[in-house]
Amino acid sequence: MPTLLRNVGEFPLIDRLVRRLRGVGPRLPLGPGDDAAILPALPAGRALFTTDVLVEGVHFRRDTVPPRALGAKALEVNLSDLAAMGGRPLAFFLGLSFPADYPLAEFDAFAAGLRASARRAGVALAGGDTTASLGPVVISVGVLGKLRSRRCIRRDGARPGDLIAVTGPLGAAATGLRLLAEGWRWGGRGVEGPGTARVTRRQARAALRAHLFPRARLDVGPVAAERGWCRAGLDLSDGLASDLVHLCERSGVGARIERGRVPVAACTRFWAERWGLDPWKLAAGGGEDFELLLALPETALERWRRRGLPHPPRVIGQVVERRQGLREVGEDGRSRPWKRGGFQHFA
Amino acid sequence: MPTLLRNVGEFPLIDRLVRRLRGVGPRLPLGPGDDAAILPALPAGRALFTTDVLVEGVHFRRDTVPPRALGAKALEVNLSDLAAMGGRPLAFFLGLSFPADYPLAEFDAFAAGLRASARRAGVALAGGDTTASLGPVVISVGVLGKLRSRRCIRRDGARPGDLIAVTGPLGAAATGLRLLAEGWRWGGRGVEGPGTARVTRRQARAALRAHLFPRARLDVGPVAAERGWCRAGLDLSDGLASDLVHLCERSGVGARIERGRVPVAACTRFWAERWGLDPWKLAAGGGEDFELLLALPETALERWRRRGLPHPPRVIGQVVERRQGLREVGEDGRSRPWKRGGFQHFA
């Protein structure tokens, strides 16, 4: 019989988790173990906080998402929100609910994934709450970050004339999700699934990796914010179809997107062809790519490109006046109203 | 058919919640609606953050805890952690997971309870995440607070010779929980349950109120911290039997508790007698009273009493050297080892 969480108990489990994360990220005035954590000093307008919840059966299935991926992803989706605002991570809080019959080995793998992501981002565990669950695994993460300057990438700053850009190809995460539903799995040493050709496995691997091990754009969001390159932006978590609407609504503007310029991940093109699907559906309708969607003036784009940073923005359209609405220009040159889509809870 | 969350959808639901909480608490540099919130200035060593998760079936049952109580309690349990450290609340974050078939009217009652508690505490909604759940309701709350001085009530400051005190009678919340199991309910206009005598109903009401509508000790924790009255402390969430052990372990001390001096709630004495139970079991073993457990020097106790603040500390014992261990002195004058107990998840 494998050891289960009920064989360990709450307080030893918390100790175990805290030990794994000891020494990761900056030293805090007071970390886990008391009623509250004491946070480092942050000047006015420079501290950011964001929180995201992952629910088993809604955001992930326990039989398809390895616990190591889950631990990393729970943190990365929050780091992505921070990156989108231009913040650098400092500390995080964990609210964990696991069933008592959850295997300890999987909990340890979850903690290892969390640790890997925390180390990469240089973020310290500051506190949390660990509870039993009678049903699903529920992971709630909150991250505290800081802005180095007062410049911040908000959703409400886009202005007509700005270019709209994304930091990378879209659709891979949605493709990975679909592959999981088709029986593909992320194994210890590569992917496993219904297909043996080398190219098939390579394209499956790329898509599964995007879905299971997303990386927050911490390498570009903060720099872009500090240099003042962006007028507005957010991370593509719900999907372009939906997130573009958020950006435009908050900024009080319209947009014109050129469908042919939206970069689609190679694995998405590969699998969409096999599935007889329009790759656009996966690229715009699927979420969780965690690329940044940005509005920026042309001069900023040129500066960004000259700097040679990773993930240079790829222009997909332009911000227009609100009364011009949100429109998409097809590869046939015809313009149609933007189809709002993307994931929405309860819908 | 009542309206359900699935008839509303994620974004309208978030708007609804944000509108209800608009204008409550201090104005934040950037509140809900973006990828992250921008927090007010946090001076070194003065900012606190705490988080607690409530899970349906573990912390509450949907058929016995009215949604209004749930909304208030989800925030109060966090405010209690803040109060125990001596912090004053500033802003809170909400991670909500509700099933799609949850009635909108109950969600509104939940929001009303949350609002009532937030207004009382003067704490602003700063952000959050709202997701569907395929199973239980899960509510994760994080609260940011500030210390007015550098003084803070931590768990690790108790010293031999300090008095150990609590800020109020114990056991009422555990008594209320047991009454719910016996069929008592908190109704719109009073309590309902198997008992009609006036005294019975009054004692049921007191216990149910303690369990369903706890109040964080924000009226004493911050003042006690700022005046430097306390050496150490925490809130009684798991129960005295367990929380005393936390205090002693973190401080590296022992304790001697006089059982006869531990104040027991009147309703607990009343119901324990009816049930043929030792009221001590409910007072020490039951959690969620959210009184503060404090270690303080005698001079501080006198000053506190002279000030005439609410909830004056009631001495229940003394801090001793670690090697003397944790002991309880019975009403027969005999000393026994402290029986660790209280709630522990997964156990």
Side-chain angles (χ1 to χ4, degrees):
Chain A
M1 270 293 288
T3 307
L4 307 176
L5 299 194
R6 77 157 55 87
N7 309 126
V8 184
E10 178 185 356
F11 300 115
L13 201 65
I14 293 173
D15 283 347
R16 201 175 173 94
L17 191 65
V18 168
R19 268 202 317 274
R20 298 276 152 114
L21 283 148
R22 190 161 291 161
V24 176
R27 219 182 135 81
L28 302 171
L30 182 65
D34 216 306
D35 284 348
I38 305 184
L39 307 179
L42 291 165
R46 301 277 185 98
L48 299 174
F49 196 91
T50 184
T51 182
D52 264 328
V53 182
L54 296 188
V55 183
E56 181 186 342
V58 177
H59 298 88
F60 66 93
R61 281 174 50 178
R62 221 194 290 177
D63 57 343
T64 61
V65 176
R68 193 185 166 88
L70 185 61
K73 190 166 176 174
L75 189 52
E76 292 290 335
V77 301
N78 280 283
L79 296 173
S80 177
D81 282 322
L82 214 59
M85 300 278 289
R88 297 178 185 271
L90 276 177
F92 72 104
F93 294 83
L94 260 181
L96 300 181
S97 300
F98 280 93
D101 64 357
Y102 194 82
L104 181 64
E106 294 192 21
F107 182 85
D108 284 344
F110 169 84
L114 198 60
R115 180 173 204 273
S117 169
R119 280 190 68 157
R120 206 162 45 232
V123 61
L125 177 66
D129 189 24
T130 304
T131 75
S133 160
L134 293 189
V137 173
V138 181
I139 301 153
S140 155
V141 175
V143 181
L144 175 75
K146 64 164 186 276
L147 293 164
R148 281 214 186 144
S149 73
R150 290 194 72 101
R151 284 166 173 163
C152 175
I153 308 173
R154 295 165 53 146
R155 295 184 177 186
D156 58 5
R159 293 294 165 259
D162 287 349
L163 299 174
I164 298 177
V166 293
T167 52
L170 308 183
T175 307
L177 180 61
R178 204 177 157 111
L179 286 173
L180 288 178
E182 292 205 340
W184 285 87
R185 292 291 177 270
W186 186 269
R189 278 177 306 165
V191 294
E192 294 152 20
T196 51
R198 218 167 135 180
V199 58
T200 312
R201 300 180 70 83
R202 200 177 65 230
Q203 298 295 353
R205 187 179 162 80
L208 289 176
R209 178 191 285 277
H211 177 71
L212 296 173
F213 296 97
R215 289 274 180 100
R217 286 279 164 269
L218 286 169
D219 44 358
V220 293
V223 177
E226 288 152 18
R227 313 232 175 212
W229 287 335
C230 301
R231 285 256 170 75
L234 76 170
D235 70 329
L236 287 165
S237 51
D238 295 332
L240 179 63
S242 166
D243 287 322
L244 177 70
V245 179
H246 295 152
L247 185 79
C248 289
E249 281 178 353
R250 297 277 298 179
S251 290
V253 296
R256 183 159 304 236
I257 301 296
E258 290 173 63
R259 192 162 162 156
R261 297 183 77 181
V262 174
V264 177
C267 62
T268 300
R269 274 187 270 112
F270 176 88
W271 286 102
E273 197 188 324
R274 293 216 156 187
W275 293 329
L277 264 184
D278 183 353
W280 172 259
K281 283 228 162 76
L282 293 163
E288 302 208 318
D289 281 314
F290 300 110
E291 295 293 345
L292 306 183
L293 173 66
L294 304 166
L296 70 180
E298 196 158 359
T299 49
L301 182 75
E302 281 156 20
R303 267 184 228 127
W304 189 330
R305 283 182 174 152
R306 274 205 306 273
R307 283 275 166 179
L309 285 183
H311 317 289
R314 306 179 191 200
V315 175
I316 62 168
Q318 201 157 10
V319 179
V320 297
E321 298 286 347
R322 180 185 218 151
R323 63 184 156 72
Q324 295 176 271
L326 261 76
R327 300 187 73 84
E328 163 207 331
V329 183
E331 293 181 74
D332 54 5
R334 285 168 61 181
S335 139
R336 299 171 196 81
W338 184 257
K339 227 172 116 183
R340 186 178 186 144
F343 187 74
Q344 183 161 176
H345 284 279
F346 307 112
Chain B
M1 270 294 286
T3 307
L4 308 177
L5 298 195
R6 76 157 57 87
N7 308 125
V8 184
E10 178 185 357
F11 301 115
L13 201 67
I14 294 173
D15 283 346
R16 201 175 175 93
L17 191 67
V18 168
R19 268 201 318 273
R20 299 274 153 115
L21 284 149
R22 191 161 290 160
V24 175
R27 220 183 134 82
L28 302 170
L30 181 66
D34 217 306
D35 285 347
I38 304 184
L39 307 178
L42 306 174
R46 300 280 185 95
L48 299 174
F49 196 91
T50 183
T51 184
D52 263 330
V53 182
L54 296 189
V55 182
E56 181 185 342
V58 177
H59 298 88
F60 66 93
R61 281 174 49 177
R62 223 195 288 177
D63 57 343
T64 61
V65 175
R68 194 184 166 88
L70 185 60
K73 190 166 176 174
L75 189 53
E76 292 290 335
V77 301
N78 280 282
L79 295 172
S80 177
D81 283 321
L82 213 58
M85 299 277 290
R88 297 177 184 270
L90 275 178
F92 72 104
F93 294 83
L94 262 180
L96 301 181
S97 300
F98 281 94
D101 64 356
Y102 194 82
L104 181 64
E106 293 192 23
F107 182 85
D108 284 345
F110 170 84
L114 197 60
R115 181 172 204 272
S117 169
R119 280 191 67 156
R120 208 163 42 234
V123 61
L125 177 67
D129 189 24
T130 304
T131 75
S133 160
L134 293 189
V137 173
V138 181
I139 301 154
S140 156
V141 176
V143 181
L144 175 75
K146 63 163 186 281
L147 294 163
R148 281 215 186 142
S149 71
R150 290 194 72 102
R151 284 165 172 162
C152 176
I153 308 172
R154 296 165 51 146
R155 295 185 175 184
D156 57 5
R159 293 294 165 260
D162 287 349
L163 299 174
I164 298 176
V166 293
T167 52
L170 307 183
T175 307
L177 180 62
R178 204 177 158 112
L179 286 173
L180 289 179
E182 291 203 342
W184 284 88
R185 292 292 176 271
W186 186 268
R189 280 176 305 166
V191 294
E192 294 152 22
T196 52
R198 218 167 134 181
V199 58
T200 312
R201 300 180 71 83
R202 202 177 62 230
Q203 298 295 354
R205 187 179 163 80
L208 288 177
R209 179 191 285 278
H211 177 71
L212 296 173
F213 297 97
R215 289 274 181 100
R217 286 280 164 266
L218 285 169
D219 44 358
V220 293
V223 176
E226 288 152 18
R227 313 232 175 213
W229 288 336
C230 302
R231 286 256 171 73
L234 75 170
D235 70 329
L236 287 165
S237 50
D238 294 333
L240 180 63
S242 166
D243 287 322
L244 177 70
V245 179
H246 295 152
L247 185 79
C248 290
E249 281 179 353
R250 297 277 297 179
S251 290
V253 297
R256 183 159 306 238
I257 301 297
E258 290 173 62
R259 191 163 162 155
R261 298 183 76 181
V262 174
V264 178
C267 62
T268 300
R269 274 186 271 112
F270 176 88
W271 286 103
E273 197 189 324
R274 293 218 155 183
W275 294 328
L277 264 184
D278 184 353
W280 173 258
K281 284 229 162 74
L282 292 164
E288 301 209 318
D289 281 313
F290 299 111
E291 295 293 346
L292 305 183
L293 173 66
L294 304 166
L296 70 182
E298 195 157 0
T299 50
L301 182 75
E302 282 156 20
R303 266 183 228 128
W304 188 331
R305 283 183 174 152
R306 274 207 304 275
R307 283 272 166 184
L309 284 184
H311 317 291
R314 307 177 190 200
V315 175
I316 62 169
Q318 202 158 11
V319 178
V320 298
E321 299 284 348
R322 179 184 219 151
R323 61 182 159 71
Q324 295 175 270
L326 262 74
R327 300 188 72 84
E328 164 207 328
V329 182
E331 293 180 72
D332 54 4
R334 286 167 61 181
S335 139
R336 300 172 195 80
W338 184 257
K339 226 171 117 183
R340 186 176 187 147
F343 187 73
Q344 183 163 175
H345 284 279
F346 307 111

